[in-house]
Amino acid sequence: MPEEAIKYNFSAEPTGVHMLMAKEVAPGSKVLDIGCASGYLGEFLIREKQCEVCGVEPEINGYKAALDKGYKLIINQSIESSLRDQLLSFEKFDYILLADVLEHLVSPEEIIGQLKKFLNENGKILISLPNVAHYSIRFSLLRGNWNMSDWGILDRTHLHFYTLKTGKDFIEKGWYVVEKIRPRGDLERWFKKIGLESVGRKLLFWWPEFWAVQFVFTVKRK
């Protein structure tokens, strides 16, 4: 069977998830990139912020592509088993990245609960989650549709679906405090084409539950 094509690449869009996460990471930090795919986010942090980055990537195609991106170490193993077996000997990290990862896991609660032992006392976890309450999904439901696809909010590999409220509640369930939430929308791009990007941003921040495609959560220990 041929290897699955790499699905995502780094986006330098200022208001995109990758840049929203990267902006939160301090230069020279030690970073654990869980579900690092082809290594695009770690490569950016290594090159632009001189970070030391370790990764976990269960898919063999992404793992192979990430090997030449400058990571200190990448583990080609399931996220669950890598946290249980191999990462226990690691020093703690300043930042742990979960970029579009938790919605794909069978037991995300178990994974996020384990991360405390790998986080420095003042460390942060950066989590992005898709917003199933996005206006496109609401309008589809009004028409009686719930169509899974190969990408996006209704990616057929998603096992869990979150809104702003349920995402925040899930993260804070006994483990952490959400320090900051940033919405990522698509309105800015559309309004930018007609010279009204600021209008798109105002709409996004006025009603993020409706307009946001994803949310980026900055999380610290409780």
Side-chain angles (χ1 to χ4, degrees):
M1 182 180 294
E3 291 179 350
E4 184 180 353
I6 295 172
K7 199 169 183 180
Y8 300 110
N9 293 297
F10 183 78
S11 170
E13 184 181 9
T15 58
V17 162
H18 300 155
M19 291 304 293
L20 289 177
M21 281 195 160
K23 288 174 183 175
E24 289 293 303
V25 177
S29 298
K30 294 179 180 178
V31 179
L32 175 59
D33 187 4
I34 297 180
C36 64
S38 61
Y40 48 78
L41 188 50
E43 181 182 35
F44 179 86
L45 294 174
I46 293 164
R47 183 182 68 246
E48 301 296 329
K49 293 200 167 186
Q50 295 74 53
C51 292
E52 180 182 284
V53 185
C54 295
V56 176
E57 177 47 49
E59 297 295 333
I60 187 63
N61 210 28
Y63 166 75
K64 289 179 178 178
L67 287 175
D68 63 352
K69 301 296 173 61
Y71 282 66
K72 178 181 178 182
L73 174 68
I74 305 176
I75 296 174
N76 178 218
Q77 195 172 320
S78 74
I79 293 170
E80 292 84 354
S81 59
S82 65
L83 294 182
R84 183 179 64 246
D85 300 335
Q86 296 198 42
L87 290 180
L88 292 176
S89 60
F90 278 11
E91 56 191 309
K92 296 193 176 184
F93 296 92
D94 303 309
Y95 295 90
I96 299 176
L97 311 183
L98 289 159
D100 303 331
V101 169
L102 292 175
E103 63 270 22
H104 297 271
L105 302 180
V106 174
S107 301
E109 298 88 352
E110 178 184 348
I111 296 303
I112 196 171
Q114 289 185 41
L115 293 180
K116 269 189 176 181
K117 59 191 174 192
F118 305 113
L119 194 65
N120 280 331
E121 184 177 350
N122 296 315
K124 304 288 176 66
I125 303 177
L126 304 178
I127 299 170
S128 65
L129 296 174
N131 174 31
V132 77
H134 186 257
Y135 68 88
S136 65
I137 310 300
R138 298 185 191 219
F139 292 155
S140 291
L141 284 171
L142 283 174
R143 298 193 300 272
N145 297 324
W146 179 271
N147 298 322
M148 305 299 286
S149 65
D150 293 329
W151 60 279
I153 298 171
L154 295 185
D155 186 316
R156 66 184 75 259
T157 64
H158 289 179
L159 302 180
H160 305 272
F161 299 92
Y162 301 96
T163 65
L164 175 59
K165 182 181 185 303
T166 61
K168 182 175 183 292
D169 290 346
F170 154 67
I171 292 168
E172 291 189 330
K173 191 186 296 180
W175 309 307
Y176 307 101
V177 173
V178 173
E179 186 177 64
K180 185 191 303 183
I181 303 173
R182 286 149 299 152
R184 197 281 286 183
D186 44 23
L187 292 177
E188 303 98 317
R189 284 199 303 273
W190 298 346
F191 278 84
K192 187 176 182 178
K193 294 177 181 177
I194 56 174
L196 295 173
E197 184 178 6
S198 62
V199 175
R201 287 190 61 77
K202 286 178 181 177
L203 286 172
L204 174 63
F205 283 92
W206 169 63
W207 194 4
E209 296 92 336
F210 186 80
W211 295 114
V213 177
Q214 293 164 288
F215 294 103
V216 176
F217 299 86
T218 300
V219 179
K220 64 181 181 179
R221 290 173 178 272
K222 182 172 287 187

